[in-house]
């Protein structure tokens, strides 16, 4: 229960409706994919070509339960009487309300039937269709002293379409799109749109040196791709790669590339849909007089100035997320350099290290409600996205449009160790460790005029807007095979992290109090897999258990945005589970 509009009187009653039962969701996916292709050679040359057509269609049906049907709520809370049979009935004897059972919100256990009648399941459906045609050719051009120069070229036409049809119960209504027949966080809107893209690419491999002093090999790769999108226009992105092997055991490699990401159908065409993010109102305890600070006046319109304002009672607010057909693509540059060491004195071993850094401009993201409120309060930016009640200044909702927010800078190091033991009577054994260290992950936020307004420092933190960027992540594998049998033990490691920050521009681990931070420890998952290949019928049987020791995800305090007070993108939320797979190739 709570406020329903900007004219609310300020008298509200809040209740967590456990009587409706737990909220639950189930999903079913139907996927169809067709791949057709031709390939061949060109005369007596080394050139080859291929042409391919791909059609993919994915249909997703999601069903949700445990939500309250709001139109029936007022009737269930209104006048009631007992009919001739003694049954509780909504309305009055002269005007009974059919199908309505009275409820007692102060003691829900006494009216379970009434709450059960208000429970309304709903179903949303999503269809994604992709069609793609591509033609490629590759071959040798001419020979240099160090080897043959080769070229690959191609062209692609791709068309993408998405249709999201929500249940009528959850379609957002009204001029502000914040209400529907069910709970506010379920309200959403249809999506219908698509785009097409035409692309042409070329990549050339040039051997520069071979078998000379300090250069067993020195190779250069040049590549470029031209893309024309129906939504925003064209772009060209190129790369330069270098491989240098001074001795047989050691390889140095480096790449400079232009990077690019086009906005998705959802980014472009999503209609407004509400959510319920954790929120700390910067106007809590406000005592600054009206007129003393223009930014605060805009950010805290209608808020009392006597220090009594305490923000939302449940630490959440209503956000209104929407797409933006005027989005630009993300673009930037990526730099990588590293080495690979394959020691000749230890056959089967390989060690690698790669340093990476990228800078991405115009990165696409929906505004965070706390960012909007803070920016308005401190700098007078984004104030038009805040909507408050006239009666008491509480936030009615905050717009969260999808924008090209600013610049993303990240850097880190990847390490890899691989070793395959010599063959033994007991089979073949192999070991590998791959780790990543994230040294920096910063998002510079700009306002709509392009002026920098703040920075999010995410490395070593969980950030509600960017996600989990623990400093260290790793993947270790022990593999074994003997004849048609094989098995593996895979370990996934996520280093500890911090939620919230004491930095002046940092976020808080709590939705109500500022400058709160919580440190979380590392998590390790163990997966086991066993397989057997049935060669006569070209089939394979696999059995496995994931998260074998039932590692539970950390609880992220007041982190409703991350779904269920944890981070389902990083951590396993299912627990230990067993699986089996049978596959046949034909």
């Amino acid at each position: 229960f709570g406020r329903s509009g900007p004219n609310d009187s300020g008298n509200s009653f809040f209740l967590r409706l456990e009587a409706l039962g737990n909220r639950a969701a189930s999903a079913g996916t139907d996927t169809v994919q067709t791949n057709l292709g031709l390939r061949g050679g060109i005369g007596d040359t080394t050139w080859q070509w291929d042409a391919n057509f791909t059609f993919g269609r994915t249909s997703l049906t999601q069903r949700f339960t445990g939500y309250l049907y709001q139109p029936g709520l007022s009737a269930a809370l209104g006048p009631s009487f007992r009919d001739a049979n003694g049954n509780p009935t909504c309305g009055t004897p002269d005007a009974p309300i059919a199908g309505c059972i009275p409820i007692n919100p102060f003691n829900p256990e006494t009216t379970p039937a009434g709450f059960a009648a208000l429970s309304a399941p709903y179903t949303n459906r999503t269809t994604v269709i992709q069609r793609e045609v591509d033609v490629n050719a590759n071959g040798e051009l001419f020979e240099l002293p160090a080897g043959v120069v080769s070229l690959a070229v191609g062209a692609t036409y791709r068309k993408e379409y998405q249709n999201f049809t929500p249940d009528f119960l959850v379609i957002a209504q009204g001029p502000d799109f914040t209400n529907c027949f069910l709970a506010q966080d379920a309200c959403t809107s249809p999506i219908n749109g698509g785009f097409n893209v035409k692309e042409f690419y070329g990549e050339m491999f040039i051997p520069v040196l071979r078998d000379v002093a300090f250069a067993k090999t020195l190779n250069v790769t040049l590549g470029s791709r031209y893309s024309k999108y129906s939504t925003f226009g064209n772009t060209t992105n190129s790369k330069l790669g270098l491989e240098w092997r001074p001795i047989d055991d050691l390889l140095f490699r480096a790449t400079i590339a232009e990077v690019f990401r086009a906005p998705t159908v959802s980014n472009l065409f999503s209609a407004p849909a509400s959510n319920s993010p954790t929120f700390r109102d910067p106007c809590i305890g406000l005592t600054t007089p009206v007129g003393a600070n223009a930014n605060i006046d805009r950010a805290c319109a209608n808020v009392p100035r006597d220090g009594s304002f305490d923000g939302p009672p449940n630490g959440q607010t209503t956000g209104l997320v929407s797409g933006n057909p005027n989005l630009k693509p993300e673009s930037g540059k990526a730099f990588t350099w590293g080495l690979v060491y394959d020691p000749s004195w230890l056959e089967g071993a390989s060690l690698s290290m790669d340093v990476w850094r990228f800078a991405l401009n115009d990165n696409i993201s929906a505004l965070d409600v706390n960012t909007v409120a803070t920016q308005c309060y401190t700098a007078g930016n984004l104030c038009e996205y805040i909507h408050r009640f006239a009666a008491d200044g509480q936030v009615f909702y905050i717009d969260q449009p999808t924008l090209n927010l600013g610049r993303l800078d990240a850097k880190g190091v990847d390490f890899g160790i691989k070793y395959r033991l010599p063959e033994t009577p007991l089979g073949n054994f192999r070991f590998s460790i791959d780790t990543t260290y994230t040294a920096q992950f910063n998002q510079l936020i700009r306002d709509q005029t392009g002026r920098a307004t703040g920075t999010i420092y995410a490395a070593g933190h969980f950030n509600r807007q960017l996600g989990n960027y623990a400093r260290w992540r790793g993947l270790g594998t022990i593999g074994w095979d003997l004849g048609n049998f094989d098995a593996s033990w895979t370990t996934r490691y996520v280093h500890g992290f911090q939620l919230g920050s004491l930095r002046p521009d940092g976020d808080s681990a709590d939705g109500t109090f500022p400058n709160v931070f919580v440190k979380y420890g590392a998590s390790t998952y163990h997966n086991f897999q066993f397989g057997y290949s049935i060669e006569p019928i070209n089939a394979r049987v696999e059995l496995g258990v994931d998260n074998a020791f039932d590692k539970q995800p950390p609880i992220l305090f007041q982190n409703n945005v991350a779904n269920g007070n944890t981070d389902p993108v990083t951590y396993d939320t299912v627990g230990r589970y067993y699986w089996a797979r049978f596959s046949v190739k034909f």
Side-chain angles (χ1 to χ4, degrees), residues 16-334:
R16 184 69 69 179
L17 289 176
E18 297 177 356
L20 291 177
N22 292 329
R23 290 184 179 179
S26 61
T29 303
D30 180 20
T31 301
V32 176
Q33 182 160 329
T34 302
N35 300 293
L36 302 174
L38 297 171
R39 62 184 178 182
I42 302 176
D44 296 328
T45 68
T46 60
W47 281 78
Q48 297 180 328
W49 64 270
D50 64 82
N52 307 280
F53 170 74
T54 300
F55 172 83
R57 178 189 177 97
T58 300
S59 299
L60 171 65
T61 301
Q62 297 171 291
R63 181 175 173 81
F64 303 86
T65 59
Y67 282 82
L68 171 73
Y69 183 63
Q70 292 192 32
L73 178 62
S74 58
L77 288 173
S80 62
F81 68 99
R82 291 187 178 275
D83 63 15
N85 298 318
N87 299 317
T89 303
C90 300
T92 64
D94 296 329
I97 301 175
C100 176
I101 302 175
I103 63 171
N104 180 2
F106 301 101
N107 191 1
E109 290 78 9
T110 63
T111 54
F115 277 98
L118 294 175
S119 180
Y122 68 94
T123 302
N124 293 338
R125 292 177 172 81
T126 305
T127 301
V128 178
I129 299 175
Q130 179 174 306
R131 300 176 178 88
E132 182 173 326
V133 178
D134 63 88
V135 180
N136 308 283
N138 64 85
E140 298 176 353
L141 291 178
F142 52 86
E143 189 167 357
L144 295 176
V148 177
V149 177
S150 56
L151 176 69
V153 295
T156 300
Y157 174 79
R158 185 175 73 256
K159 188 172 184 179
E160 297 187 16
Y161 170 79
Q162 180 178 333
N163 180 56
F164 171 62
T165 305
D167 196 299
F168 79 96
L169 292 173
V170 295
I171 294 179
Q173 303 173 18
D176 47 45
F177 293 94
T178 57
N179 287 309
C180 60
F181 290 122
L182 304 187
Q184 206 166 57
D185 63 293
C187 300
T188 185
S189 298
I191 301 174
N192 191 316
F195 61 84
N196 64 73
V197 56
K198 306 176 183 71
E199 294 185 304
F200 303 91
Y201 77 89
E203 186 168 315
M204 182 179 293
F205 175 79
I206 306 172
V208 179
L209 296 173
R210 184 182 181 89
D211 293 327
V212 299
F214 304 109
K216 282 292 183 179
T217 60
L218 177 62
N219 304 318
V220 173
T221 301
L222 299 173
S224 188
R225 178 181 292 267
Y226 170 82
S227 306
K228 184 176 182 179
Y229 282 77
S230 61
T231 45
F232 62 83
N234 60 71
T235 178
T236 301
N237 298 278
S238 304
K239 76 169 185 177
L240 169 64
L242 178 70
E243 292 182 342
W244 172 43
R245 191 179 290 275
I247 59 176
D248 287 332
D249 293 3
L250 186 62
L251 171 69
F252 291 95
R253 56 193 181 189
T255 302
I256 301 175
E258 296 174 309
V259 294
F260 163 81
R261 186 180 81 87
T264 65
V265 173
S266 294
N267 293 152
L268 294 166
F269 304 118
S270 289
S274 60
N275 61 3
S276 301
T278 303
F279 176 65
R280 170 174 169 76
D281 198 321
C283 305
I284 291 174
L286 183 65
T287 57
T288 303
V290 175
N293 186 307
N295 295 337
I296 294 178
D297 289 346
R298 294 186 66 193
C300 306
N302 307 318
V303 171
R305 303 300 180 104
D306 58 2
S308 64
F309 186 73
D310 59 358
N314 60 352
Q316 294 175 257
T317 192
T318 297
L320 195 63
V321 181
S322 60
N324 181 358
N326 298 316
L327 286 174
K328 298 185 294 184
E330 299 176 342
S331 62
K333 288 183 172 59

Side-chain angles (χ1 to χ4, degrees), residues 397-565:
Y397 69 95
I398 296 178
D399 287 309
Q400 294 180 265
T402 303
L403 301 173
N404 295 103
L405 284 180
R407 176 185 171 100
L408 194 64
D409 289 275
K411 60 183 179 181
V413 187
D414 294 338
F415 302 94
I417 301 174
K418 294 179 173 57
Y419 182 52
R420 178 182 287 274
L421 271 65
E423 186 174 351
T424 71
L426 298 178
N428 302 310
F429 294 87
R430 62 190 183 278
F431 306 88
S432 68
I433 298 176
D434 294 290
T435 63
T436 294
Y437 174 74
T438 301
Q440 179 191 57
F441 200 96
N442 297 346
Q443 181 174 7
L444 176 67
I445 300 174
R446 300 183 187 274
D447 62 21
Q448 291 175 301
T449 67
R451 185 168 62 91
T453 59
T455 302
I456 299 174
Y457 300 89
H461 292 76
F462 176 88
N463 178 270
R464 292 182 178 86
Q465 186 166 341
L466 299 180
N468 190 329
Y469 287 91
R471 295 281 187 182
W472 286 96
R473 293 176 186 250
L475 191 67
T477 302
I478 299 176
W480 166 85
D481 64 84
L482 178 63
N484 293 339
F485 294 92
D486 65 82
S488 66
W489 171 18
T490 301
T491 300
R492 182 168 67 93
Y493 172 82
V494 180
H495 194 59
F497 65 95
Q498 182 172 298
L499 177 62
S501 173
L502 291 179
R503 299 178 62 103
D505 51 2
D507 59 356
S508 175
D510 183 81
T512 304
F513 300 102
N515 302 325
V516 176
F517 70 94
V518 181
K519 292 186 177 181
Y520 292 82
S523 296
T524 304
Y525 298 94
H526 300 270
N527 303 332
F528 297 93
Q529 174 267 333
F530 176 81
Y532 177 74
S533 298
I534 310 173
E535 294 182 350
I537 60 174
N538 204 23
R540 179 172 171 78
V541 177
E542 294 176 275
L543 303 173
V545 53
D546 289 354
N547 193 2
F549 302 113
D550 200 25
K551 178 68 175 180
Q552 298 300 302
I555 301 300
L556 307 186
F557 180 61
Q558 280 291 327
N559 187 39
N560 302 80
V561 173
N563 188 17
N565 288 334

